[in-house]
Amino acid sequence: MDAAAGQKPEPHDSRERHASWLELFFDLVAVTAVAQVAHLLRGDLGPSDLGLYALLFLALWTAWICFTLYGNVAGEGTRTRTVLLAMFGMAVMAAAVHGVHEEEDQHARVFALAYVLIRVLANQSWQRRRQVLVDWPAAQMSLGVTPWIVSLWAHVPVRYWLWALGVALDLYVTFAVSAREFVKRHKDEDQHEALERSGSRTEGGSSRSTPPVTGVAVARSQAEHLSERLGLFVLIVLGEGIAQVVDAASDVAWHRDVWTLGVASFFLLAAVWTLSFRHGYSGVPHLAEGVLPTRAALPLHCFLSGCLAALAAALGSAVEHPDSLSDGTRWLMCSALAGYFLLSGLAWLPDAHQEGRWLRWVALPCTGLPLLLAAFGTGVRTGVVIWLLVLVVLWPIFYDRRRRT
């Protein structure tokens, strides 16, 4: 990618880096944001609820990843004040989540305004560093932010369509804008600004004309540090699943069904943790280090984390109503797990040395069986549904261990 851009990437410190205290503090805000968004999926659900959840989760994840990449590249040069301002903006977004779907526009406008300001702050941070991050161009391009700005004056449902357009434009920039084109655009802008500064000094009475000084450096993310941050985010989502189950169990009378659901939910989340971290990379199961470029790995991580957050919300709803599992909650739980395995299958595809039978015996069954359970599981006890999903998650773990031995 660097050769295509015609630039030499900025060298990184070879020493091993871990998440700093500031970055961990920033991730705690992500805990709050994920919890607020996941609560949108509790209770009776409709297509509009799922669509709103997807939009808000994508917006919060995008705000988080912009400053995760900033800290990843800047390292010790990260400005604490900048990250704290971003944290405050994400906290405002999290606080506005529950009122976004109400008839009053105040919460929705505050959510959109906070998102816009965070994106602008991220863009200014990169401009200040005079760097171009080719791994995630959306962090430095305002094309996807424009519909969010327009939405400040729009009402439902136009507002939601504008938000969806903004998300789609960010994805378009991520996959369609080449590294060469992206770097050339920033070099041209930098050259133009330098010429304007040089011309203004000449017009101001200076008898000497100085040549414009430009110097936009190409930056690449540090793989090990970024992997740690992505894995921490997945842990946050799984921890939110435990919190959802604990919160629901604390509000109901404890009897055999509640105990069964609580134990089954814990085993399900523990099995997902095992598959994601002991049989995966960056929290993505079956993903090997270096197989996917950062541009592809980041959207994969986003959508997979969204599936896990939806699974967490469904488990909370199931424990909250242990006597009867609604069709909506069953579909949400099973579809979220099916999406998790579908995305992990996409992570597996570029790894050409894998055996083809893994796709037939693991990826396809683990994606299809939860959907069959969702379609034909009407009347099945809630505990049985969750324990069957536990078996689905354990199967690829057992298969992988058997293949290795």
Side-chain angles (χ1 to χ4, degrees), residues 374-395:
F376 301 102
T378 303
V380 180
R381 297 181 66 87
T382 308
V384 175
V385 172
I386 299 179
W387 278 115
L388 289 175
L389 295 180
V390 171
L391 294 178
V392 171
V393 179
L394 289 178
W395 166 239

Side-chain angles (χ1 to χ4, degrees), residues 2 8-17 69-76 126 129 131-133 135 218-225:
D2 299 325
K8 188 175 182 179
E10 187 176 85
H12 290 304
D13 194 345
S14 59
R15 294 175 299 177
E16 184 178 0
R17 280 183 55 200
L69 290 170
Y70 166 66
N72 174 269
V73 174
E76 295 182 356
W126 288 106
R129 292 187 58 82
Q131 289 180 314
V132 178
L133 182 66
D135 288 338
V218 175
R220 291 292 299 271
S221 58
Q222 298 185 20
E224 293 183 0
H225 178 263

Side-chain angles (χ1 to χ4, degrees), residues 201-209:
R201 287 195 298 268
T202 304
E203 294 175 0
S206 175
S207 58
R208 298 172 60 188
S209 60

